Amino acid sequence: MYKLLLCVRYLRTRYIALASIVSVMLGVATMIVVNSVMSGFANEMRERINGILADVIIETNSLNGETDAEFHRQLAMQAAGDQIESISMTVEVFGLMHFRRGGQWIPRPVTLVGIEPENEAKVGPLVANLDSFQTIREDGIVTREPLRKEGEAPGWKLTEEALAWRSEWKEYQRRHFANWPAREAAEPLMPEPPAFEPEPGHAEPQFDSPATASPEPGIAAEGPVQLEVPLPLPGIGPAQPGQVIPAAAIDDGENVRQASNPFATDEAPDLKGMVVEKGRSDIDAPLPGRLYIGAQLVEIPRVDRKTDKVFIERLVKPGDDVKISTVSAGSPPEPRHFFATVVDVYKSGMSEYDANLVFCNLEYLQEMRGMIDPQTGKGAITTMKIKLKDYNNSDQVVKQLENVFPPHLYTVRTWEQKQGPLLAAVDIESAILNVLLFLIIAVAGFGILAIFFMIVVEKTRDIGILKALGASSRGVMSIFLAYGLALGVVGSGVGVVCGLLFVRYINVIEGGISWLTGRKVFDERIYYFPTIPTEVSFWTVTWVALGSILIAVLASVLPARRAARLHPVEALRYE
Amino acid sequence: MTDSILLPTEHVSATAVEKTYRTGQHNVPVLRGVEMSVHRGEFVSIIGQSGSGKSTLLHLMGLLDQPTVGEIHIEGQRVDDLPAATRDELRNRVFGFIFQFYHLLPELSVLENVLTPLMIRESALTYWKRKKEYREKAHAILEQVGLSHRLKHRPSELSGGEMQRTAIARALVAGPQILLADEPTGNLDVETGQGIMDLLRSLNEDQGLTIVMVTHDEAIAQQAHRIVRLASGRLEILEAA
């Protein structure tokens, strides 16, 4: 009884103990805040990766893919149909995207993904990642309403804005080319204006397939001299009939392509007439190849010299044309090049994907890569993305799918398995951070140790009295252990409350700090989040609280033992 | 107060006790063979110069310390070699201590200080159950020492005499058989000291409490039944008071 009473009295009268309470509190609060924010970020990241990868991914081992998407779909549905919510058939292949900038072709290594947007949207948040569906905010003010209506199915149609831009630069280009012969005479190597985009038809010879343009593929593919000069002009340059329509020269299977191309009506018309036409017209129509390009492929942050603010400059806009290089199916793979129109910008918030992915319309990509069986007209696919009804059954589904998709042809993995190293790295990072942060609480523990030694020295006489009155050594020890426990409980209790409040109001606090320092602490243009994501895990909070209480008790063991060992006569020796 | 059987034998006795403290490499003998016994109901003073070992003898008899050589007996039974837990228990139930510097716990009120021995004796649960009874007991004893108006005060708010009365009340509350007083008046003026002595004498006479008191003041010592004189760790004279 006296232990409790004294413990409570010491807690109330020893203000120095408040210091240790505060240090425990700060440690606990920091751990809770950092853990919550980290797991908030990690969750957000997992969600995004999961969104891009879908739940289960079946990949063919060969680059050529396996023919007939419908057959694969049925096979998967037979194996695990009751678990599958939807499947998206895609072709994934590496490639290069080139865009024109400052008179040069700038290449970007990319992963080219052929998708059917409606199916892709069913396995992941495609719509949420496409720029034209988003409301753009700057410092909380809406600067652009969504360009497409909510609920509109994602597709390959260009928005009005993109079409307008397309007409604009096309018009500019036409005027430029109209003047070109005269200009060349005056200044042959005049730099091009930044907005200049080459017309695919003009650039065609550079990317001409070996079969039609050059007997030597290597030379044709390089063509550096030609790349630099917007040389061939319809009517002026040495245009050949086969080169006027862009895709015609690329693919030998003209008839197949025509039949299967969903954008046959968008087909670029004879370019010979375009020089004279003005305004938006069919000649400004987008190319049959359509793309969603990853935002970070074409965005660069810049600092505005006047306002000192960071803004994002987009080098390629929807409506522009870019060049895509990839390899054909078959052995050996051959380089394939085509022009395609950018329909939208893709922004998932995962830089690994935003700086890498280019989505293309599936059938066009299949066609360009020669993945369409000329006899049946069925396209091959390389990757199946499957969304499950319940992700908890994923291991079982993977087993079922492995039974029908033999491992020498296919790899069946969950998204977590596919992203294993990244997820493991995040886990390790968070574990190390926790260890480091726990050191803060350990420091608080040493604070308690030191303060308790002081209190024991200060209370030597009282300990002697208690012993003279019959208190056992264990009793005296338990006073100080209970004292440490009380400090730990109070400290971690207050810490938990402070930490949770901080997490709850973290965005308000962030706003306050931004206002104070005049600098945005959490810039959504860098992190892609409008607010700081947090997730409070009950178990984390529990472990942190219990851990810090334990540390407080452990830190009080040594002083408590010292108190217990005090000899009553020594302790009572006169002051 | 004494509920054990009254025997003509000694109540507490020290038999040939020696106590040596070790300071560094030197052994400092404090008691060099002291033989002393106190009868039940007796009021004995131990008197001697500073460093004569009188306090040490008191501590040995009160089981606060263990003799290097020799034995301590309570009612003929050896107690100095008992296990620590038993000695703690004996200190709590058999002995009451009074110190020169009162040694009250500064964080506790007068009432709580008085209740400390009972809190130490009982577990939290039993104490809680018998709280009312104990409080009444403490009230009664504080009334007896004349402090019933100071229950809620902190020791720092009391005068020296009041503090010593609180200490006496604390020593009495556990119902001890033997009261060990170490210079109880040493820090008080003559008048207040005499008040304390009167209180001790009345406890001895009315309740038959055995009292052993250490003092260096001849006048105070004279008020006991018997005086034991110590000089440099040995008995000097034995004489009847």
Side-chain angles (χ1 to χ4, degrees):
Chain A
M1 183 63 202
Y2 67 104
K3 304 159 198 164
L4 285 176
L5 182 68
L6 281 174
C7 185
V8 170
R9 284 294 151 80
Y10 285 172
L11 207 59
R12 267 176 31 191
T13 53
R14 302 289 112 180
Y15 291 111
I16 189 74
L18 280 179
S20 30
I21 289 182
V22 168
S23 55
V24 171
M25 183 201 93
L26 285 179
V28 168
T30 311
M31 278 199 78
I32 288 176
V33 171
V34 170
N35 263 309
S36 300
V37 173
M38 272 202 76
S39 67
F41 269 95
N43 261 10
E44 198 76 20
M45 188 190 77
R46 288 174 69 93
E47 227 162 75
R48 287 172 182 192
I49 298 177
N50 190 0
I52 293 159
L53 295 181
D55 292 337
V56 174
I57 305 104
I58 305 174
E59 292 162 300
T60 58
N61 292 341
S62 95
L63 209 55
N64 301 343
E66 300 294 332
T67 310
D68 200 349
E70 193 48 41
F71 168 73
H72 281 83
R73 183 191 303 274
Q74 276 165 13
L75 207 58
M77 290 309 276
Q78 271 166 20
D82 51 335
Q83 296 286 347
I84 293 173
E85 194 171 303
S86 54
I87 306 178
S88 173
M89 298 293 172
T90 67
V91 171
E92 270 193 47
V93 64
F94 53 85
L96 282 173
M97 182 185 82
H98 315 252
F99 59 90
R100 189 91 184 168
R101 172 80 187 166
Q104 297 188 58
W105 284 102
I106 299 176
R108 294 268 195 264
V110 297
T111 301
L112 205 54
V113 187
I115 57 166
E116 296 160 317
E118 16 354 308
N119 286 334
E120 184 70 14
K122 283 180 197 155
V123 299
L126 180 67
V127 171
N129 293 339
L130 289 180
D131 187 68
S132 63
F133 285 94
Q134 312 309 315
T135 308
I136 308 261
R137 285 189 177 81
E138 219 161 279
D139 298 330
I141 303 152
V142 177
T143 54
R144 199 204 71 187
E145 294 292 339
L147 298 176
R148 292 179 206 264
K149 282 189 217 84
E150 204 179 328
E152 188 182 323
W156 297 113
K157 271 210 177 75
L158 273 78
T159 58
E160 282 301 310
E161 287 76 6
L163 286 171
W165 164 245
R166 190 173 175 78
S167 295
E168 192 184 314
W169 70 257
K170 283 255 178 186
E171 174 61 26
Y172 183 91
Q173 196 181 38
R174 279 191 293 273
R175 273 194 278 128
H176 179 80
F177 284 144
N179 294 334
W180 187 68
R183 281 183 181 218
E184 194 201 31
E187 19 182 353
L189 287 172
M190 181 189 152
E192 285 166 320
F196 176 81
E197 287 291 336
E199 161 60 31
H202 305 142
E204 190 58 41
Q206 302 150 21
F207 279 83
D208 216 341
S209 83
T212 51
S214 165
E216 270 198 53
I219 293 168
E222 286 167 16
V225 181
Q226 289 174 323
L227 273 172
E228 288 306 310
V229 188
L231 182 82
L233 265 179
I236 300 161
Q240 296 165 16
Q243 294 167 331
V244 175
I245 297 165
I250 298 167
D251 200 57
D252 293 344
E254 171 87 342
N255 295 328
V256 177
R257 187 184 62 77
Q258 289 288 4
S260 63
N261 186 358
F263 307 103
T265 49
D266 292 350
E267 190 72 58
D270 190 316
L271 292 174
K272 275 176 180 164
M274 79 182 222
V275 179
V276 288
E277 284 193 48
K278 305 265 176 193
R280 190 185 305 169
S281 66
D282 278 357
I283 57 156
D284 294 337
L287 305 177
R290 303 292 168 87
L291 304 174
Y292 303 146
I293 52 174
Q296 288 190 12
L297 286 168
V298 295
E299 283 182 347
I300 46 169
R302 282 185 187 282
V303 180
D304 190 325
R305 291 235 175 104
K306 281 175 198 157
T307 57
D308 235 22
K309 274 190 171 177
V310 179
F311 69 98
I312 303 287
E313 187 183 352
R314 210 168 255 183
L315 305 178
V316 177
K317 292 180 200 161
D320 279 331
D321 287 344
V322 295
K323 265 195 304 198
I324 297 289
S325 311
T326 182
V327 294
S328 70
S331 183
E334 287 161 4
R336 289 288 159 91
H337 312 285
F338 60 92
F339 277 84
T341 303
V342 175
V343 175
D344 218 327
V345 173
Y346 179 87
K347 193 169 185 177
S348 67
M350 283 293 300
S351 73
E352 193 191 335
Y353 297 115
D354 290 351
N356 190 29
L357 290 185
V358 169
F359 294 93
C360 181
N361 39 347
L362 176 64
E363 290 185 43
Y364 192 71
L365 182 64
Q366 284 173 333
E367 191 189 316
M368 288 298 114
R369 292 195 63 214
M371 294 172 89
I372 293 174
D373 189 329
Q375 266 105 53
T376 58
K378 284 174 177 164
I381 50 129
T382 64
T383 307
M384 296 167 69
K385 296 182 185 175
I386 300 174
K387 186 178 171 64
L388 300 183
K389 284 172 180 154
D390 183 1
Y391 183 70
N392 294 329
N393 301 329
S394 58
D395 289 339
Q396 184 207 336
V397 173
V398 166
K399 275 190 200 117
Q400 287 171 348
L401 291 173
E402 272 173 342
N403 288 337
V404 291
F405 294 104
H408 66 276
L409 289 177
Y410 302 92
T411 311
V412 184
R413 283 183 292 185
T414 64
W415 72 274
E416 278 170 321
Q417 287 162 345
K418 192 171 153 106
Q419 281 296 335
L422 177 65
L423 297 177
V426 170
D427 283 348
I428 288 170
E429 203 174 277
S430 134
I432 289 174
L433 196 69
N434 267 311
V435 169
L436 293 180
L437 285 177
F438 218 79
L439 287 182
I440 294 181
I441 297 181
V443 169
F446 281 102
I448 292 178
L449 188 83
I451 288 169
F452 270 35
F453 261 114
M454 236 177 70
I455 291 178
V456 167
V457 170
E458 194 192 331
K459 290 283 150 205
T460 298
R461 215 193 50 176
D462 294 16
I463 293 163
I465 299 164
L466 289 171
K467 285 196 161 175
L469 295 177
S472 62
S473 291
R474 273 176 60 190
V476 170
M477 186 163 162
S478 59
I479 291 178
F480 286 91
L481 288 183
Y483 193 17
L485 181 73
L487 285 191
V489 168
V490 173
S492 64
V494 177
V496 164
V497 170
C498 287
L500 291 181
L501 282 178
F502 194 101
V503 170
R504 175 82 178 70
Y505 295 106
I506 191 161
N507 288 304
V508 180
I509 294 166
E510 187 262 333
I513 296 173
S514 298
W515 179 79
L516 267 181
T517 58
R519 213 188 144 82
K520 202 117 174 71
V521 178
F522 186 86
D523 197 330
E524 69 181 86
R525 277 170 302 200
I526 294 168
Y527 293 100
Y528 290 144
F529 303 111
T531 55
I532 304 171
T534 54
E535 187 187 77
V536 177
S537 147
F538 172 75
W539 287 112
T540 311
V541 173
T542 313
W543 281 120
V544 168
L546 288 182
S548 49
I549 291 172
L550 185 73
I551 282 189
V553 173
L554 285 179
S556 56
V557 165
L558 277 179
R561 275 166 60 108
R562 188 193 154 107
R565 283 189 187 155
L566 274 179
H567 199 280
V569 173
E570 307 273 319
L572 286 171
R573 196 146 284 173
Y574 307 126
E575 38 244 73
Chain B
M1 287 301 281
T2 55
D3 35 12
S4 55
I5 317 149
L6 279 164
L7 289 168
T9 53
E10 62 258 19
H11 197 176
V12 58
S13 67
T15 312
V17 288
E18 287 183 21
K19 181 70 187 175
T20 309
Y21 286 112
R22 245 190 116 79
T23 52
Q25 296 187 338
H26 302 283
N27 286 330
V28 181
V30 180
L31 290 177
R32 297 187 285 184
V34 173
E35 189 91 18
M36 178 190 176
S37 69
V38 181
H39 292 277
R40 187 175 295 279
E42 202 177 12
F43 189 167
V44 179
S45 297
I46 302 173
I47 196 167
Q49 297 292 314
S50 291
S52 58
K54 51 191 192 316
S55 288
T56 305
L57 181 59
L58 192 78
H59 291 152
L60 289 179
M61 287 202 288
L63 300 177
L64 277 175
D65 211 345
Q66 284 176 295
T68 319
V69 179
E71 295 173 4
I72 305 293
H73 293 261
I74 294 176
E75 289 172 1
Q77 193 164 355
R78 188 174 177 188
V79 290
D80 62 276
D81 58 351
L82 291 173
T86 320
R87 281 185 285 128
D88 290 339
E89 182 91 13
L90 277 174
R91 269 208 304 280
N92 184 265
R93 290 180 182 270
V94 176
F95 295 102
F97 287 93
I98 307 169
F99 303 97
Q100 180 183 0
F101 295 102
Y102 333 121
H103 288 335
L104 300 172
L105 297 175
E107 278 85 9
L108 305 184
S109 71
V110 167
L111 184 64
E112 286 163 339
N113 260 297
V114 172
L115 284 168
T116 314
L118 294 171
M119 293 189 203
I120 289 171
R121 183 183 298 174
E122 306 284 6
S123 73
L125 194 68
T126 22
Y127 179 82
W128 199 255
K129 279 186 199 154
R130 302 180 64 179
K131 198 178 167 200
K132 212 180 156 201
E133 175 196 336
Y134 285 155
R135 276 174 168 272
E136 278 165 13
K137 198 170 174 182
H139 274 284
I141 287 166
L142 279 167
E143 189 133 0
Q144 195 184 341
V145 299
L147 278 177
S148 48
H149 58 295
R150 293 287 205 195
L151 300 181
K152 297 286 172 204
H153 290 240
R154 287 287 156 94
S156 53
E157 297 160 350
L158 302 178
S159 71
E162 283 172 328
M163 282 199 266
Q164 196 57 291
R165 282 164 195 273
T166 311
I168 291 171
R170 179 178 67 184
L172 293 177
V173 79
Q177 299 172 19
I178 304 159
L179 201 59
L180 302 175
D182 193 352
E183 305 245 17
T185 62
N187 229 24
L188 302 171
D189 58 68
V190 178
E191 207 174 315
T192 324
Q194 192 50 52
I196 297 294
M197 283 311 294
D198 291 343
L199 182 59
L200 290 180
R201 280 232 312 273
S202 74
L203 287 171
N204 175 251
E205 280 160 20
D206 303 346
Q207 300 179 19
L209 211 57
T210 307
I211 299 178
V212 181
M213 180 180 70
V214 164
T215 183
H216 62 271
D217 186 333
E218 193 72 33
I220 296 289
Q222 289 297 339
Q223 300 184 32
H225 299 157
R226 186 157 64 96
I227 298 176
V228 175
R229 286 181 193 278
L230 285 185
S232 38
R234 285 211 184 93
L235 286 182
E236 201 179 85
I237 305 166
L238 277 169
E239 62 177 18

